[in-house]
Amino acid sequence: MNSPVRGIDHIGITVPDINQATLFFEQAFNAKEIYRSVEPGDGNIDPAAQQETLRLFPGTEVRAIRMLAMPYGPGIELFEMHGPEQQPPARPSDFGLQHFALYVDDFAQAIARFTAAGGEMFTEPKPLSFPAEEGEGNAFCYGKTPWGSVIELISWPSPMPYEKYTDLRRWKP
């Protein structure tokens, strides 16, 4: 049976400073800005419609929206919003989206770019240790962006069980 879902199109991230976040993704992951939907002062956004569509906390202002393309997808949609009640980014122990993982071929280079762009790594790469994920060179590590969102860097040159369902290994640079 065919699934109505093809895969993840994009990930939306709310950030405190859209310029800082755009620069971080460009420097850390070679992301490219595709377009700007909303820029401060544009006046092309309907606050009431955004409140209804996204279920924003009352009084939240959407100041800017940008779409970035990652080298091998999915897209990253950045939202700069400011409101009367905002929480810090979710920790992995909180409910909801806790992190997303980016496949890397070279941990040293990926970590160097991540930290040079302002990110902070939690640990050095560690071997994937669940039985279904073990294999020569299979490793991961976590870090956080300058605004606190958690990102996992992962590499699995040895076959993974879910590999037959993804195209990541086919897209080697």
Side-chain angles (χ1 to χ4, degrees), residues 51 56-61 81-87:
Q51 171 61 45
L56 303 176
F57 189 85
T60 298
E61 176 190 1
M81 296 189 219
H82 297 278
E85 230 180 85
Q86 286 184 295
Q87 302 295 318

Side-chain angles (χ1 to χ4, degrees), residues 29-82:
F29 304 117
N30 206 31
K32 303 289 183 219
E33 184 179 314
I34 301 298
Y35 59 85
R36 297 176 178 204
S37 302
V38 175
E39 281 296 300
D42 281 353
N44 67 342
I45 194 160
D46 179 350
Q50 289 297 309
Q51 171 61 45
E52 181 182 329
T53 302
L54 297 172
R55 301 288 194 257
L56 303 176
F57 189 85
T60 298
E61 176 190 1
V62 178
R63 293 191 186 162
I65 303 173
R66 292 184 186 161
M67 182 63 80
L68 308 179
M70 297 294 283
Y72 301 103
I76 303 288
E77 187 174 22
L78 299 175
F79 292 81
E80 182 178 332
M81 296 189 219
H82 297 278

Side-chain angles (χ1 to χ4, degrees), residues 132-136 138 156-163 169:
E133 298 176 335
E134 290 176 337
E136 183 66 33
N138 293 359
W156 34 269
S158 295
M160 295 285 276
Y162 56 82
E163 183 181 327
R169 290 175 56 86

Side-chain angles (χ1 to χ4, degrees), residues 60-137:
T60 298
E61 176 190 1
V62 178
R63 293 191 186 162
I65 303 173
R66 292 184 186 161
M67 182 63 80
L68 308 179
M70 297 294 283
Y72 301 103
I76 303 288
E77 187 174 22
L78 299 175
F79 292 81
E80 182 178 332
M81 296 189 219
H82 297 278
E85 230 180 85
Q86 286 184 295
Q87 302 295 318
R91 296 166 301 186
S93 57
D94 294 331
F95 294 116
L97 180 64
Q98 53 153 291
H99 79 277
F100 62 93
L102 297 172
Y103 190 95
V104 301
D105 290 311
D106 181 332
F107 275 108
Q109 180 185 32
I111 290 169
R113 289 184 65 159
F114 188 85
T115 56
E120 175 190 335
M121 296 308 302
F122 298 158
T123 65
E124 293 293 319
K126 298 179 178 187
L128 290 167
S129 58
F130 292 120
E133 298 176 335
E134 290 176 337
E136 183 66 33

